[in-house]
Amino acid sequence: MSVLPPEIHAALTPLLQALSSPDNVVRTNAEGQLNSEWVAQRPDILLMGLVEQIQDAADPSTRTFAAVLFRRMATKNQKLPNSTEPRELFLSLPQQQKIAIRGKLLQCLQNESIPAVRHKIGDAVAEIARQYAEDGEPWPELLGALFQASQSPDAGQRENAFKIFATTPGIIEKQHEDVVHGAFTKGFKDVDVSVRITAMDAFASFFRSIEKKSQKKYYSAAGEILNILPPLNEAGDSDNLTKALLALIELAEIAPTMFKQLFHSLVQFSITVIQDKELGDQARQNALELMATFADYNAAMCRKDPSYTSDMVTQCLSLMTDIGMDDDDAAEWNASEDLDVEESDLNHVAGEQCMDRLANKLGGQAVLPPTFNWLPRMMQSSAWRDRHAALMAISAISEGCRDLMVGELDKVLALVVPALRDPHSRVRWAGCNALGQMSTDFAGTMQEKYHNVVLTNIIPVLDSAEPRVQSHAAAALVNFCEEAEKSVLEPYLDSLLNHLLQLLQSPKRFVQEQALSTIATIADSAETAFGKYYDILMPLLFNVLKEEQSKELRLLRAKAMECATLIALAVGKERMGQDALQLVQLLGHIQSNIQDADDPQSQYLLHCWGRMCRVLGQDFVPYLPSVMPPLMELASAKADIQLLDDDEAIHNYESEEGWELVPLKGKVIGIKTSILEDKHMAIELIVIYAQQLEAAFEPYVREIMQNVALPGLAFFFHDPVRVASAKSVPMLLNSYKKAHGERSSQMAELWQLTLDKVLEVLTPELAIDTLAEMYQCFYESVEVLGKDSLSPTHMATFIEAARGTLEEYQVRVRKRLEDKQETEDGEEDTEDTLFAIEDDQTLLSDMNKAFHTIFKNQGRSFLPAWSRLLPFYDAFITNRDSTQRQWALCIMDDVLEFCGEQSWTYQDHIRQPLIDGMRDEIPANRQAACYGVGIAAQKGGPAWSDFVAECLPTLFAVCQIPNAREDDHVFATENACASIAKILQSNAAKVPNVQEVVAHWINTLPVVNDEEAAPYAYMFLAQLIDQ
């Protein structure tokens, strides 16, 4: 029964019809009416009206559209009076109206009989549930309604209940596990396959949302979940098997050990699915992905299984032979010029990618034996697909198996090199691919030990009859040459360049383009040795650059620009003579004729200008007026962001290249990444210009700082833009300093403008690696300005930012420790965890450098602000985590070094940590502690003299530990030696038996690695000799 008067629906019904009209004008007018007359003036009436349309409209399409529109409108942000924060439309309504609307919405869900409409109503219910959950408000009747629906005799109702659980798992998180487990168990055993699959999805979503320690309560569900799979496989139901495996993949990511007891059975089942050619490819690939996911998240469990590795390697190699089925002689493949065909959904690509993951996660010891059990036989096979798969397998595993394979390269090359002469073109292509990949993965060894084997065999492949093979051989040479020393390449340059010059005559443009890229790489590596070929190549490149700018030649000309500027960089300004200016003029001419937004020459040009700036140095300055306007346009670009709130718009943007979609509070934000990538590249080039031109770049500094660099620090849509902006700030300051002087009024004004903005971005954030870059930006900027460039207020602001950062760091460390306690035997740290630890170590290191730079430039004036964080230094310096101990020790070293006698004020925080640090099992911490003792002797004054003299036995002990001279320990040893010298030099009066100590000290020499420690040790030695 309607609670709204009939006239409301009389107005709303035609509005809904107009909103779904195919006529753009009608639809646009209706959108305007919806926003101005309904959303702005009577949102409660609108939402209730839409629910009543869902309830009462006779036409299913009207009910569907009303449900979609309800969901869209409910999430619309509404600015409320007396509030700074906007709220979503539904939550902004008075409580009684919300209760009435949500109650009616649940009735609609229970009463709707058409599945497609019911799904849309379910989406609307899930959206309201999400809003309540995020706002911390209850919706008590929802859970009862969903549990009731999950027991309904109607399969559609049961499925819909689990769909809503899947999208908003938070609503069942707090329920007793017996209730939750019971509901899911019924779902897993449901007679309807769609309900079983949706229950799996909902369980995976729920499982991800709960804390790790709660997850173990549900491990017993593993068997019930796995029992869903065999009937689907036996029925040959590829579509539902594909969906079920997707849910299982998510569970394997979250808690692989949940399946520990059943793992061998699951491996055997998955292998039968992968090898069943009657099933669809997607189901087979999902079974492969499931097994690879276990390797990603619990490699130990996979290694322990008796058949996992050998079965997986066998199946990957089998899938890799599923290639070119309708093109046995490769006629179609050879004729194709589209080298970027999307193949990620093909079996052979899935097999290759899985081999790569297995090698990286399980390691060479596990993967190499079963792989090389097959490869020699496959290389001898008469079937070209077997030989192709074997070579692609070598490409796939070489990175992960590097440590073991590097000692066996003779044997591996004996398999690969003959393939370069194979009668089948695709096998020769795969041989080039393997050599290229190995040149990267075994960089150094391949170039130094095997240059003759590689180059004498791959250069002849450049003469192949098939353009695709020629091009790939040239591409493999890029991998080899970019890692090769000039001396390695020099003997082969004649042969290489003669063949590549021949390729420039190829009728296929993609071959010419690749030849230019390869020549550019060779020039970059060969450096001045390339000068011999300059007179042959540069005129050819100039001819390409002078040709008419036809559309089909744009990429070729772009590659020619890249090649010419890399050759310029290799041979230098003197060798180029007048050609340098001619090349710059040609680049200017090309730039002035670019009209299309998608012209590839634009991007290449930016890098070419950067290289020519490095070649010409100050002679490049006259060209800045031409170069800077297009660069500034890209660098100043704003983010193109679209709010997408319906499925059709989301689908359209998903299929459009250059967009990234980010889910946010029930909506999806579309961000045009191509604009952001161009912006990032432009700011990186600004860094090069400021670095190379210094004072001459001053005319552009202020505009860039205000409009690009400082706003870029807070450009949260794209972290690479923020990082490039952070790199640019100190470079721009340096340009300005070189032009105006360190103490000029202009410099002071720019510094004031810059410093406040830089300090603002030191606050805690989610992107830890980017935050580290902000600290680097800060300390490099302070380094440019030098002594006394920070006021007490600035130093206090820095300390408060550091406090927040350290508090957040401690929270992350605690969370990792808690998670570690919940992990089971064999469960290794995930890649995300390892990256997070590495990011935190980088952050601490950059914070350390910031403290060091402030102490170095501000001295004692930093102490009042610095001392506010003493509880943190004390907590870190005694922590079990060696990284934290090192961080605090280095900061105490700075106090000793830059605050002189005043450092004694903090002796209670410094002395014992230095003593403990010299005995630390971690060499880097011993080094920091030994250095600190030496600095205390040298700069701490009389107050420290007794303490440092007492440290002598411990310093000698550091020099006498086992392996004291080995790589890991030598810097600690040498710092101890130098510190003893500093004590004997500065505090000899406090040392009993000085001559005896000196004699012992002589035995701690030499100091040959640490460049900072060496001068102190040898100055003292020279002093002794003089005496």
Side-chain angles (χ1 to χ4, degrees):
M1 192 184 86
S2 175
V3 298
L4 297 176
E7 57 267 26
I8 295 293
H9 286 292
L12 196 55
T13 303
L15 179 64
L16 292 181
Q17 290 166 349
L19 285 166
S20 55
S21 166
D23 185 323
N24 279 342
V25 176
V26 172
R27 208 167 57 248
T28 304
N29 290 337
E31 287 276 358
Q33 188 187 345
L34 174 72
N35 288 320
S36 61
E37 296 178 19
W38 295 84
V39 174
Q41 295 182 31
R42 41 186 179 170
D44 52 339
I45 305 284
L46 170 65
L47 292 182
M48 180 57 91
L50 288 171
V51 173
E52 292 193 346
Q53 287 282 329
I54 299 168
Q55 186 179 41
D56 298 329
D59 181 10
S61 63
T62 304
R63 299 203 299 279
T64 301
F65 183 64
V68 170
L69 189 61
F70 175 90
R71 182 172 165 232
R72 236 177 83 197
M73 293 300 103
T75 63
K76 218 173 173 63
N77 278 339
Q78 183 87 326
K79 196 77 182 285
L80 296 176
N82 308 321
S83 171
T84 54
E85 288 293 313
R87 293 202 84 191
E88 287 172 299
L89 193 65
F90 177 79
L91 286 180
S92 71
L93 300 180
Q95 182 67 5
Q96 284 308 111
Q97 292 171 0
K98 285 191 289 193
I99 290 171
I101 290 168
R102 77 193 190 194
K104 214 172 243 298
L105 192 61
L106 280 181
Q107 285 173 19
C108 295
L109 183 67
Q110 288 158 356
N111 298 334
E112 180 58 60
S113 59
I114 297 174
V117 182
R118 191 164 53 222
H119 283 164
K120 293 300 178 189
I121 301 170
D123 290 343
V125 170
E127 176 50 44
I128 299 304
R130 177 196 64 77
Q131 291 189 28
Y132 272 127
E134 288 184 4
D135 208 51
E137 279 193 54
W139 183 0
E141 63 270 31
L142 173 64
L143 204 55
L146 291 180
F147 273 123
Q148 192 180 338
S150 73
Q151 318 292 321
S152 165
D154 180 347
Q157 288 284 8
R158 300 197 300 276
E159 183 186 356
N160 222 34
F162 285 114
K163 265 185 180 298
I164 295 169
F165 284 143
T167 51
T168 51
I171 59 179
I172 46 173
E173 274 177 26
K174 294 183 176 66
Q175 299 306 304
H176 192 275
E177 60 260 26
D178 290 345
V179 177
V180 176
H181 199 157
F184 278 121
T185 297
K186 281 191 175 174
F188 298 148
K189 293 177 178 176
D190 200 283
V191 292
D192 187 282
V193 65
S194 296
V195 178
R196 296 199 297 274
I197 304 292
T198 312
M200 283 181 79
D201 283 338
F203 183 77
S205 183
F206 161 72
F207 204 71
R208 188 180 284 284
S209 72
I210 59 178
E211 289 185 357
K212 212 169 177 69
K213 60 187 172 194
S214 302
Q215 290 173 353
K216 290 179 183 173
K217 298 172 188 172
Y218 298 96
Y219 275 18
S220 58
E224 297 160 359
I225 293 167
L226 294 183
N227 285 339
I228 296 170
L229 302 176
L232 301 176
N233 187 37
E234 287 154 18
D237 186 350
S238 285
D239 289 345
N240 280 314
L241 184 57
T242 298
K243 292 174 189 171
L245 286 165
L246 274 176
L248 210 49
I249 288 164
E250 188 172 357
L251 286 170
E253 282 180 11
I254 306 162
T257 45
M258 177 181 186
F259 301 97
K260 191 173 183 178
Q261 303 307 317
L262 301 163
F263 187 58
H264 187 59
S265 301
L266 181 53
V267 171
Q268 290 176 312
F269 172 79
S270 299
I271 295 299
T272 62
V273 173
I274 298 165
Q275 62 192 13
D276 186 351
K277 293 183 181 177
E278 298 301 313
L279 288 169
D281 284 349
Q282 196 57 59
R284 297 172 67 199
Q285 288 177 27
N286 279 11
L288 187 78
E289 176 62 30
L290 174 63
M291 289 292 98
T293 302
F294 278 108
D296 287 341
Y297 290 91
N298 196 327
M301 196 160 85
C302 298
R303 286 191 209 99
K304 285 176 188 170
D305 186 83
S307 63
Y308 175 91
T309 310
S310 59
D311 283 351
M312 281 295 287
V313 165
T314 302
Q315 292 312 313
C316 286
L317 291 171
S318 175
L319 287 171
M320 288 164 69
T321 63
D322 187 1
I323 183 170
M325 286 304 165
D326 302 322
D327 188 28
D328 205 51
D329 61 355
E332 189 182 316
W333 181 83
N334 281 321
S336 171
E337 294 188 22
D338 185 359
L339 307 188
D340 298 318
V341 178
E342 178 55 52
E343 292 189 327
S344 60
D345 58 344
L346 299 184
N347 284 341
H348 73 94
V349 176
E352 286 166 30
Q353 290 173 346
C354 188
M355 283 292 280
D356 175 52
R357 285 161 72 183
L358 293 176
N360 276 298
K361 293 298 176 181
L362 305 185
Q365 228 156 4
V367 170
L368 284 178
T371 305
F372 276 86
N373 181 39
W374 283 107
L375 294 195
R377 285 182 278 168
M378 292 174 77
M379 286 306 298
Q380 296 302 316
S381 169
S382 58
W384 71 264
R385 292 180 182 84
D386 290 349
R387 304 195 298 278
H388 182 279
L391 291 162
M392 296 307 288
I394 290 171
S395 300
I397 66 171
S398 60
E399 181 191 9
C401 300
R402 185 186 191 286
D403 292 346
L404 286 180
M405 282 177 73
V406 75
E408 303 289 336
L409 285 182
D410 290 320
K411 293 173 187 170
V412 181
L413 287 168
L415 282 176
V416 173
V417 167
L420 300 176
R421 298 182 290 277
D422 196 277
H424 200 283
S425 56
R426 294 196 73 164
V427 177
R428 275 179 276 128
W429 184 96
C432 295
N433 195 76
L435 280 184
Q437 191 61 51
M438 289 167 69
S439 296
T440 299
D441 293 334
F442 307 111
T445 308
M446 280 284 279
Q447 286 77 3
E448 288 159 27
K449 286 182 72 175
Y450 298 102
H451 54 85
N452 192 46
V453 177
V454 174
L455 293 176
T456 56
N457 283 287
I458 204 166
I459 289 171
V461 186
L462 297 169
D463 295 331
S464 292
E466 303 87 359
R468 288 191 72 168
V469 178
Q470 291 179 313
S471 172
H472 210 53
L477 281 167
V478 169
N479 292 42
F480 184 88
C481 294
E482 67 189 357
E483 301 290 349
E485 295 294 327
K486 170 182 164 184
S487 57
V488 165
L489 286 182
E490 228 168 322
Y492 303 97
L493 287 177
D494 281 349
S495 180
L496 276 167
L497 290 163
N498 285 332
H499 280 82
L500 290 165
L501 284 167
Q502 285 300 310
L503 293 192
L504 290 177
Q505 312 304 315
S506 168
K508 300 293 184 185
R509 198 170 302 114
F510 71 86
V511 177
Q512 297 174 353
E513 289 162 2
Q514 182 57 62
L516 286 172
S517 290
T518 308
I519 291 168
T521 303
I522 293 169
D524 198 30
S525 293
E527 298 171 343
T528 50
F530 201 84
K532 176 182 171 186
Y533 309 95
Y534 178 87
D535 291 330
I536 303 166
L537 272 162
M538 203 54 110
L540 287 173
L541 295 171
F542 276 24
N543 287 339
V544 175
L545 297 179
K546 287 173 184 171
E547 280 181 25
E548 181 196 346
Q549 296 217 35
S550 58
K551 197 163 187 174
E552 61 274 11
L553 291 177
R554 293 192 309 197
L555 184 57
L556 183 69
R557 192 180 296 103
K559 297 273 187 183
M561 287 191 277
E562 176 185 56
C563 189
T565 51
L566 277 166
I567 290 172
L569 211 50
V571 301
K573 182 167 70 171
E574 283 69 29
R575 175 69 181 82
M576 286 190 79
Q578 287 303 304
D579 284 353
L581 299 179
Q582 192 185 346
L583 178 53
V584 169
Q585 285 158 4
L586 276 170
L587 296 177
H589 175 70
I590 291 167
Q591 180 168 290
S592 64
N593 283 286
I594 288 177
Q595 292 170 342
D596 297 340
D598 64 346
D599 191 332
Q601 294 176 111
S602 300
Q603 283 212 347
Y604 278 81
L605 257 172
L606 291 173
H607 289 293
C608 291
W609 286 127
R611 287 185 205 108
M612 291 313 294
C613 175
R614 286 157 67 193
V615 171
L616 293 173
Q618 296 299 315
D619 292 342
F620 186 75
V621 173
Y623 301 99
L624 283 175
S626 305
V627 171
M628 289 305 294
L631 189 65
M632 284 299 291
E633 190 179 336
L634 286 177
S636 310
K638 301 283 187 279
D640 185 351
I641 297 167
Q642 302 293 329
L643 180 63
L644 313 175
D645 50 12
D646 66 72
D647 295 342
E648 188 183 344
I650 291 166
H651 176 71
N652 291 341
Y653 278 94
E654 267 177 340
S655 54
E656 195 174 325
E657 204 176 324
W659 284 83
E660 183 183 343
L661 303 188
V662 181
L664 182 71
K665 288 195 169 183
K667 305 182 186 71
V668 172
I669 306 288
I671 303 172
K672 192 162 189 180
T673 50
S674 52
I675 289 176
L676 306 185
E677 284 154 10
D678 289 349
K679 182 181 178 79
H680 167 232
M681 179 180 64
I683 299 171
E684 282 192 321
L685 285 162
I686 285 169
V687 174
I688 291 173
Y689 292 148
Q691 191 176 27
Q692 296 291 322
L693 302 176
E694 294 192 319
F697 196 62
E698 183 275 340
Y700 303 95
V701 166
R702 201 174 177 88
E703 183 193 354
I704 294 170
M705 192 71 94
Q706 284 183 301
N707 299 335
V708 176
L710 295 179
L713 294 176
F715 193 82
F716 293 101
F717 303 108
H718 197 60
D719 281 340
V721 166
R722 298 183 63 208
V723 171
S725 301
K727 302 271 187 223
S728 72
V729 168
M731 291 299 169
L732 293 167
L733 288 170
N734 187 56
S735 290
Y736 218 64
K737 181 175 89 169
K738 297 277 184 183
H740 293 288
E742 192 174 301
R743 299 296 170 207
S744 65
S745 58
Q746 295 97 320
M747 191 71 229
E749 193 184 336
L750 183 66
W751 178 228
Q752 196 58 47
L753 167 84
T754 304
L755 180 54
D756 290 339
K757 293 291 182 189
V758 172
L759 285 167
E760 276 175 26
V761 292
L762 299 185
T763 48
E765 60 167 278
L766 291 174
I768 306 304
D769 52 344
T770 306
L771 181 57
E773 296 284 353
M774 299 302 142
Y775 274 94
Q776 186 176 342
C777 170
F778 169 76
Y779 72 71
E780 286 182 352
S781 300
V782 172
E783 199 68 81
V784 170
L785 269 291
K787 293 284 180 195
D788 301 319
S789 51
L790 299 173
S791 68
T793 306
H794 291 137
M795 288 185 276
T797 305
F798 169 82
I799 284 296
E800 286 313 303
R803 181 197 301 279
T805 303
L806 292 171
E807 285 169 349
E808 292 285 320
Y809 168 79
Q810 288 176 323
V811 169
R812 289 194 298 277
V813 170
R814 272 198 303 274
K815 177 78 170 66
R816 283 199 291 266
L817 284 171
E818 286 166 14
D819 288 348
K820 190 83 174 165
Q821 285 163 359
E822 294 300 323
T823 56
E824 305 206 5
D825 288 347
E827 204 173 337
E828 297 172 6
D829 283 337
T830 65
E831 208 163 73
D832 289 345
T833 301
L834 295 173
F835 281 136
I837 292 168
E838 191 178 323
D839 286 344
D840 271 333
Q841 287 173 341
T842 305
L843 174 63
L844 286 185
S845 172
D846 282 314
M847 288 182 77
N848 222 313
K849 288 170 188 166
F851 277 92
H852 173 82
T853 305
I854 300 174
F855 269 125
K856 177 181 162 187
N857 288 289
Q858 300 293 141
R860 297 168 188 174
S861 68
F862 184 38
L863 285 172
W866 171 86
S867 61
R868 293 176 205 167
L869 296 188
L870 273 169
F872 285 96
Y873 314 136
D874 291 343
F876 276 54
I877 214 160
T878 55
N879 201 282
R880 285 183 304 169
D881 176 15
S882 63
T883 303
Q884 294 186 44
R885 295 199 301 277
Q886 185 186 3
W887 183 82
L889 278 168
C890 289
I891 284 180
M892 294 309 180
D893 287 353
D894 288 330
V895 174
L896 290 163
E897 184 166 359
F898 299 109
C899 301
E901 295 182 12
Q902 209 166 327
S903 61
W904 183 252
T905 310
Y906 304 98
Q907 48 98 9
D908 288 342
H909 303 271
I910 298 175
R911 285 189 309 167
Q912 193 58 45
L914 287 182
I915 293 166
D916 295 339
M918 289 187 287
R919 297 173 180 143
D920 200 302
E921 61 186 18
I922 304 298
N925 292 357
R926 290 202 303 279
Q927 178 185 345
C930 293
Y931 178 80
V933 171
I935 283 292
Q938 194 182 12
K939 300 197 174 179
W944 284 99
S945 58
D946 286 328
F947 169 76
V948 298
E950 289 161 13
C951 287
L952 281 169
T954 313
L955 288 167
F956 277 112
V958 172
C959 299
Q960 289 157 1
I961 64 161
N963 311 320
R965 293 282 166 191
E966 287 190 2
D967 286 352
D968 288 346
H969 302 279
V970 69
F971 284 91
T973 305
E974 293 186 352
N975 268 271
C977 168
S979 291
I980 296 167
K982 290 173 187 174
I983 294 167
L984 292 170
Q985 196 168 28
S986 307
N987 294 277
K990 296 282 184 177
V991 179
N993 309 320
V994 170
Q995 292 310 315
E996 194 180 321
V997 173
V998 168
H1000 279 308
W1001 174 76
I1002 299 286
N1003 295 325
T1004 67
L1005 291 167
V1007 177
V1008 291
N1009 293 280
D1010 193 317
E1011 292 177 6
E1012 284 188 42
Y1016 296 108
Y1018 292 119
M1019 275 162 52
F1020 181 59
L1021 183 63
Q1023 196 178 316
L1024 292 176
I1025 292 166
D1026 286 345
Q1027 288 170 2

